[in-house]
Amino acid sequence: MRVFLLLCLLALGNAKPYQPINVMDFMKNYDIMMSDAGDEDDEDEDDNDDDFDDEDENCPAGCHCSPRVMQCSDQGLISIPEKIPEDTVMIDLQNNDITEIKEDDFKGLNKLYGLFLINNKISKIHPKAFRNMDHLRLLYLSYNMLNEVPANLPPNVIELRFHENNINRIQKDAFKGLRKLHVLELGANPLANSGIELGAFNGLSTLYIGIAEAKLTAVPKDLPSSITELSLDYNKISKVEVEDFLRYKNLQRLGLGFNQIKFVENGSFVSIPNIREIHMDNNRLKKVPPGLSSLRYLQVIFLHANKIGSVGVNDFCPIRSSVKKNLYTGISLFANPVKYWDIQPATFRCVTGRRGVQLGNFRKK
């Protein structure tokens, strides 16, 4: 269930240019999970579903209410609506002009599961704004004006999204107590390595962390050791070293595309033996990174749009075929100066088929 939920969350909310999300899609997932869990708290809510609609006097002005969902997107709101029904499970406040979340804005909403505040102008959140919100699992604060991670986040949240704010610092214990957090999106913030304090991620067992489109010049060393997916695309990382992934032994997908990587130290990938997918396209590599042939489960490696001039026969595949547990399904080498006719056919002996390799002529711009 945990892996299934992670895939659903990533599919529905990956960091992209702002697009309104459909809250009802999350509601469907919520109903499925509650049904699987046999949540007794929903029995009373189901009995009242017919009484909670657009005409309900409890629905704030300008909003649309349906069973357990309040939708107030695109209403030009400058503050959180008052008198939100206490049985609300999902609140949609996307694309408004809200600037602040006050202490009592969500008071009494103890059943709230999802709160979507994407694309507002929020720069201030009261330290007690999320108190008693033990059922909140999804908190979307992307495309706002926050300068730092809010204090006292909901303790049982499983997904936090701060994509494209003004966050340039993550203080120690910023996510303290969030032991159930699976997804943490921090991309498109002006966050440098020096802005991540030691211990900033203490206590987390997160599966996915995204810090793409930031100002990182090196792979962060103090992220949770539990991560299985790490997105660091569109940064200013210039090299990969052995010490970079020592903590991340469970890593299965690594995004390092669109950086400035010129050098990969031999042995850098030894500590991530379970890696399935590596993106190192659009960098400045002059050769295939060393050590790929020792990664038994690696299936996808993107190296296109680099400066690779030659490819060795053992760069991707081990000498003994029995060592490789998963065959490659994708190797991209196009937009490199290597001449594809100089690459020996045996180089791709551990690829599923010809379509698994993408080559092409190199054309100087």
Side-chain angles (χ1 to χ4, degrees), residues 94-327:
Q94 298 178 86
N95 201 28
N96 282 291
D97 297 315
I98 299 168
T99 60
E100 180 182 359
I101 299 179
K102 300 182 178 67
E103 179 178 356
D104 294 329
D105 279 347
F106 302 114
K107 185 177 181 180
L109 301 180
N110 300 329
K111 296 182 180 180
L112 195 62
Y113 182 91
L115 178 57
F116 304 93
L117 289 156
I118 304 170
N119 202 37
N120 278 275
K121 299 177 181 179
I122 300 169
S123 61
K124 184 178 180 181
I125 298 178
H126 194 279
K128 295 183 180 180
F130 302 119
R131 70 187 185 283
N132 299 323
M133 297 179 71
D134 293 344
H135 287 86
L136 192 68
R137 300 294 189 273
L138 312 177
L139 180 56
Y140 280 36
L141 284 160
S142 298
Y143 302 94
N144 277 286
M145 299 179 179
L146 295 170
N147 292 316
E148 61 182 12
V149 176
N152 303 316
L153 292 163
N156 293 312
V157 67
I158 59 175
E159 181 179 6
L160 277 173
R161 292 193 177 271
F162 298 108
H163 184 258
E164 197 155 320
N165 276 268
N166 297 321
I167 298 172
N168 58 17
R169 172 177 169 268
I170 303 179
Q171 63 273 30
K172 181 181 179 181
D173 294 325
F175 306 102
K176 185 177 181 179
L178 306 188
R179 301 188 182 280
K180 297 183 179 180
L181 188 65
H182 293 175
V183 175
L184 177 59
E185 179 57 71
L186 291 163
N189 282 284
L191 186 62
N193 292 80
S194 59
I196 304 175
E197 293 186 7
L198 186 65
F201 301 95
N202 281 347
L204 289 185
S205 57
T206 308
L207 299 178
Y208 167 87
I209 289 184
I211 317 180
E213 302 176 81
K215 294 185 177 181
L216 300 177
T217 55
V219 176
K221 308 296 192 297
D222 195 35
L223 301 176
S225 60
S226 58
I227 54 174
T228 59
E229 182 169 353
L230 176 61
S231 175
L232 300 174
D233 303 288
Y234 293 95
N235 276 285
K236 298 179 180 180
I237 299 170
S238 60
K239 60 183 177 180
V240 176
E241 300 176 301
V242 170
E243 63 180 9
D244 285 347
F245 304 113
L246 292 177
R247 280 177 55 86
Y248 314 135
K249 301 184 185 303
N250 298 314
L251 201 61
Q252 296 186 21
R253 186 183 185 279
L254 173 62
L256 285 169
F258 291 91
N259 276 277
Q260 301 170 12
I261 300 172
K262 296 180 180 179
F263 172 73
V264 178
E265 186 178 2
N266 192 16
S268 295
F269 300 129
V270 170
S271 57
I272 49 173
N274 297 315
I275 195 76
R276 262 69 170 174
E277 189 171 332
I278 299 176
H279 293 239
M280 297 191 74
D281 54 284
N282 291 278
N283 278 284
R284 300 176 183 177
L285 295 169
K286 293 184 177 180
K287 61 181 181 179
V288 175
L292 296 181
S293 61
S294 67
L295 300 175
R296 300 190 298 170
Y297 300 99
L298 184 62
Q299 293 177 283
V300 175
I301 175 70
F302 286 176
L303 293 169
H304 55 272
N306 275 280
K307 299 181 179 181
I308 298 172
S310 64
V311 177
V313 70
N314 295 319
D315 279 351
F316 297 102
C317 304
I319 296 175
R320 291 191 299 114
S321 59
S322 60
V323 173
K324 187 70 173 171
K325 298 300 182 182
N326 290 342
L327 297 179

Side-chain angles (χ1 to χ4, degrees), residues 54-118:
D54 287 346
E55 304 301 325
D56 196 313
E57 61 181 9
N58 292 324
C59 191
C63 299
H64 300 284
C65 296
S66 57
R68 296 169 294 162
V69 179
M70 189 185 80
Q71 294 178 286
C72 307
S73 61
D74 301 276
Q75 296 298 314
L77 300 174
I78 60 174
S79 61
I80 304 297
E82 297 180 356
K83 299 180 180 179
I84 301 173
E86 291 186 358
D87 57 355
T88 301
V89 171
M90 300 277 182
I91 296 179
D92 178 6
L93 289 164
Q94 298 178 86
N95 201 28
N96 282 291
D97 297 315
I98 299 168
T99 60
E100 180 182 359
I101 299 179
K102 300 182 178 67
E103 179 178 356
D104 294 329
D105 279 347
F106 302 114
K107 185 177 181 180
L109 301 180
N110 300 329
K111 296 182 180 180
L112 195 62
Y113 182 91
L115 178 57
F116 304 93
L117 289 156
I118 304 170

